[in-house]
Amino acid sequence: MKVVFMGTPEFAVPCLREVCLHHEVIAVITQPDKPKGRGHKMQHPPVKEFAVSQGITVLQPERIRNAEFVSELRNIHADVFIVVAYGQILSKEILDMPRFGCVNVHGSLLPELRGAAPIQWAVVNGDKKTGVTIMHMDIGIDTGDMILKSEMEISDDDTGGSVHDKMSELGAKTLLEALVQIESGVAVREKQDDSKSTHAPLLKKDTGFINWNEPSDKIIKLIKGLNPWPTAYTLYNGEQIKIWNAIKSSGFANKECGEIVDFVSSGFVVKTQDGAIIVTEIQVQGSKRMSTPDYLRGHSLTKNTILGK
């Protein structure tokens, strides 16, 4: 099939890679380059970098719904548009262009976790399984008819980052299977049950602010789900500390939630609603990510300090 591929981040690259091996990708549409880092150097989206390496035409409209670009897109004459974490909403005019429609790779088992950050919220919510759904896009947000699903387990050791990496490869494999069904005319479209839908809202920096009045398990799931971005964090004497990893502890019933109650070989212990956690990996402002014991060899934290203030 002749394909227009729309995607932006690293998550979309395995899908583009596999589609290139089996179909004719005639154009890639991705978000504009953006400045990054202290030097504000312009950086290409990962999808653009891969497309350029394959000699594929890359288009980067500021607004894909712009009338001039819509006209340009219409003249490409693709069989299908494949959308994987592109980052802009398509108009009905665009959705109706290709003869096989617009096909999306979504990082959850729809209708669960519709929205911008399904991978991370699956970990934060403590789900034991997740997966990918290949669907025909409509004008709603992740509401289109489903074509194919693939499941994967979430282990106790998984983070948002590890699930992201595994799911990106699972998504590529499932997408290819769905494209075979679509091209051969045997794909079955299954409507979503809206009554079973849940939401996976956009992650913001303050999503990661830890409420120490929550149970230990909930805090640890937040830490894991937001690793590596946007990262869970707290405040120590008004200064931000990112918390990259933690394990469950117990005791200290008479202490205040958020209080540093002890120091152990693996880190420092913080009181929670139902016990405590040991913070084992941190990143202090102006410093690099490191194990808590390594940090404490050269710095000190004060026992009985209340975090989050």
Side-chain angles (χ1 to χ4, degrees):
M1 285 192 289
K2 291 184 177 181
V3 173
V4 167
F5 187 94
M6 302 179 186
T8 300
E10 193 65 43
F11 180 79
V13 172
C15 287
L16 177 56
R17 180 194 70 215
E18 293 303 311
V19 171
C20 284
L21 293 174
H22 298 87
H23 299 275
E24 181 186 356
V25 180
I26 52 180
V28 163
I29 301 173
T30 189
Q31 295 276 55
D33 299 349
K34 293 183 178 179
K36 190 174 183 180
R38 292 180 179 177
H40 297 287
K41 184 178 179 181
M42 296 300 286
Q43 185 171 29
H44 301 328
V47 162
K48 178 180 178 178
E49 291 186 350
F50 181 84
V52 169
S53 75
Q54 302 301 304
I56 302 169
T57 298
V58 176
L59 305 172
Q60 295 178 274
E62 288 286 344
R63 292 184 67 253
I64 196 170
R65 298 159 72 105
N66 177 277
E68 185 177 344
F69 186 77
V70 170
S71 178
E72 181 180 354
L73 190 56
R74 189 181 299 280
N75 290 330
I76 294 178
H77 301 298
D79 295 315
V80 64
F81 293 169
I82 296 173
V83 183
V84 188
Y86 170 49
Q88 293 193 43
I89 296 174
L90 308 187
S91 65
K92 187 175 187 304
E93 186 177 8
I94 294 173
L95 294 173
D96 291 342
M97 280 183 192
R99 66 188 183 107
F100 290 121
C102 294
V103 175
N104 177 247
V105 180
H106 184 74
S108 78
L109 300 172
L110 290 172
E112 296 177 5
L113 296 177
R114 294 174 177 171
I119 297 172
Q120 293 85 352
W121 284 109
V123 181
V124 171
N125 293 343
D127 295 344
K128 297 300 182 183
K129 70 174 183 180
T130 185
V132 292
T133 303
I134 313 300
M135 68 172 182
H136 276 289
M137 297 176 69
D138 60 17
I139 58 172
I141 304 298
D142 303 324
T143 56
D145 292 348
M146 301 176 293
I147 305 167
L148 198 60
K149 292 183 181 180
S150 293
E151 292 186 2
M152 59 174 283
E153 293 183 357
I154 300 176
S155 73
D156 291 339
D157 296 327
D158 271 322
T159 64
S162 65
V163 174
H164 168 282
D165 293 347
K166 289 184 280 189
M167 191 182 291
S168 65
E169 295 294 338
L170 180 64
K173 176 178 177 291
T174 310
L175 173 62
L176 287 185
E177 294 175 12
L179 290 176
V180 169
Q181 295 181 13
I182 291 168
E183 188 173 20
S184 60
V186 300
V188 176
R189 297 173 61 146
E190 178 187 355
K191 289 194 176 299
Q192 296 188 42
D193 183 347
D194 292 341
S195 69
K196 296 181 179 179
S197 70
T198 56
H199 188 45
L202 183 70
L203 294 174
K204 301 178 181 178
K205 187 176 180 181
D206 60 7
T207 306
F209 185 69
I210 296 172
N211 178 0
W212 296 105
N213 292 294
E214 300 279 8
S216 297
D217 283 340
K218 187 171 182 178
I219 293 171
I220 289 172
K221 288 168 187 172
L222 180 74
I223 293 168
K224 288 180 178 293
L226 303 190
N227 176 350
W229 192 88
T231 316
Y233 70 96
T234 191
L235 299 175
Y236 175 81
N237 292 334
E239 298 232 344
Q240 179 179 288
I241 297 180
K242 291 183 177 180
I243 298 182
W244 289 89
N245 208 350
I247 56 176
K248 194 172 180 179
S249 185
S250 59
F252 307 102
N254 61 336
K255 298 294 183 177
E256 183 176 347
C257 290
E259 183 177 346
I260 298 177
V261 293
D262 200 6
F263 293 92
V264 294
S265 61
S266 55
F268 60 88
V269 185
V270 185
K271 177 72 175 73
T272 66
Q273 181 199 83
D274 61 345
I277 67 170
I278 303 171
V279 177
T280 60
E281 190 176 6
I282 62 173
Q283 184 175 2
V284 177
Q285 281 183 303
S287 183
K288 64 181 181 179
R289 173 180 175 178
M290 63 181 71
S291 72
T292 304
D294 284 347
Y295 177 80
L296 292 175
R297 287 187 187 98
H299 306 82
S300 62
L301 298 176
T302 304
K303 192 173 179 180
N304 303 129
T305 299
I306 308 299
L307 298 178
K309 296 183 178 180

